[in-house]
Amino acid sequence: MSPSAPLAWMAALAAAAYPTWDTWHNWIDWSSLFTAAGMPEKYYATEHYGGFTEGVIRCVRLYDSIDRSPFLPLRDDLATLTDLATTLAVPVLAVLIALIRRHSATTGPRVAWVLALIALVRPLSADYHGDGICSGSLPMFTPDWFEALSGGWGLWELCLLAAALLVLLASDSPAPPISGWRALTAAMDALVVYGLVALAPLLTGDESLRAGLLRQLQFDGIRDEPARLLVLVLPVGYLLWRHGRRTKR
């Protein structure tokens, strides 16, 4: 281990920890809690919000103007995964695993790929909104959406990318080759699975299924509407069929 390696590992841990620290810091803003506790309710009703009645703004949007992209379930699930990863300090745990297994030739590069993937997926899975108060979410892959995406990169992403680079430098191991065919087939499987998920609202008539696959794993939703199980049966059946074909080869 080179003399600079310990400093690189410490810097990688600090960079990976910043998004998690910033998340919890915004959630638990003690000064705001104490300030809010001392404010009378009348302040929020009049001074702060301009009155409950006057502060209500109703926006009516045509049903056809709502984004009905088949990629919405994938986007929402990726956003759920990245939010959970940040909240539960998965980047920090990944760097710690790379540090513990620093003599491995593959662990460091794999952890770096995980950190870079989280950093790249987070802006792509964000729900971008227009400038107007009633504009709502921007439809995916439109010029306005790409413009919003270009400004969706921030300090969190820079920290995760810096942590990935520091892990690669500290582990001092070459990145393992990635099979282009395996990456392509995995991407195609993901698109097919979420294409099937996008068909679920048409089969069941339940528009809430457009929220993504992960939300369908809630027991209450399946208990109230058993038809939601179709959103799980279709992807699982496809993956089992694909796995059966691979094993026969």
Side-chain angles (χ1 to χ4, degrees):
M1 181 183 292
S2 63
S4 60
L7 295 178
W9 284 114
M10 292 176 60
L13 285 171
Y18 175 77
T20 300
W21 174 85
D22 191 44
T23 299
W24 286 94
H25 175 71
N26 291 331
W27 280 359
I28 308 175
D29 190 350
W30 296 108
S31 60
S32 297
L33 291 177
F34 289 135
T35 302
M39 291 293 181
E41 183 179 353
K42 183 179 179 181
Y43 171 79
Y44 290 100
T46 57
E47 299 294 333
H48 197 61
Y49 290 109
F52 289 125
T53 303
E54 291 80 8
V56 174
I57 300 177
R58 295 184 178 180
C59 300
V60 178
R61 301 179 65 207
L62 295 176
Y63 182 73
D64 292 339
S65 68
I66 300 175
D67 186 9
R68 299 174 59 84
S69 169
F71 294 98
L72 286 181
L74 177 60
R75 186 203 69 182
D76 291 345
D77 281 350
L78 289 177
T80 301
L81 288 174
T82 52
D83 288 344
L84 285 175
T86 303
T87 304
L88 301 178
V90 170
V92 180
L93 295 176
V95 174
L96 287 175
I97 291 174
L99 175 59
I100 294 172
R101 297 178 54 86
R102 58 186 176 273
H103 300 298
S104 171
T106 57
T107 302
R110 288 175 179 174
V111 167
W113 277 110
V114 169
L115 295 172
L117 187 62
I118 296 174
L120 295 175
V121 166
R122 188 171 181 272
L124 289 172
S125 61
D127 184 13
Y128 296 105
H129 292 257
D131 296 332
I133 193 170
C134 294
S135 58
S137 299
L138 294 176
M140 297 180 65
F141 306 115
T142 59
D144 291 337
W145 183 86
F146 280 107
E147 181 180 357
L149 175 65
S150 64
W153 305 84
L155 187 56
W156 284 22
E157 289 73 28
L158 292 178
C159 286
L160 292 174
L161 292 176
L165 179 60
L166 289 167
V167 167
L168 280 179
L169 295 176
S171 60
D172 195 22
S173 58
I178 298 178
S179 171
W181 178 250
R182 289 185 62 184
L184 178 61
T185 55
M188 292 300 297
D189 283 344
L191 289 178
V192 171
V193 165
Y194 276 92
L196 295 174
V197 173
L199 291 176
L202 301 178
L203 298 176
T204 64
D206 184 3
E207 288 293 327
S208 65
L209 293 177
R210 296 186 183 276
L213 180 61
L214 296 179
R215 294 191 184 182
Q216 312 316 316
L217 302 180
Q218 298 176 357
F219 175 76
D220 292 340
I222 295 176
R223 180 192 61 189
D224 297 336
E225 298 184 29
R228 291 190 178 191
L229 286 173
L230 285 175
V231 81
L232 300 177
V233 171
L234 292 175
V236 170
Y238 169 77
L239 294 176
L240 290 175
W241 174 73
R242 286 279 293 161
H243 179 72
R245 289 187 59 191
R246 290 173 183 173
T247 54
K248 292 179 181 179
R249 293 177 181 176

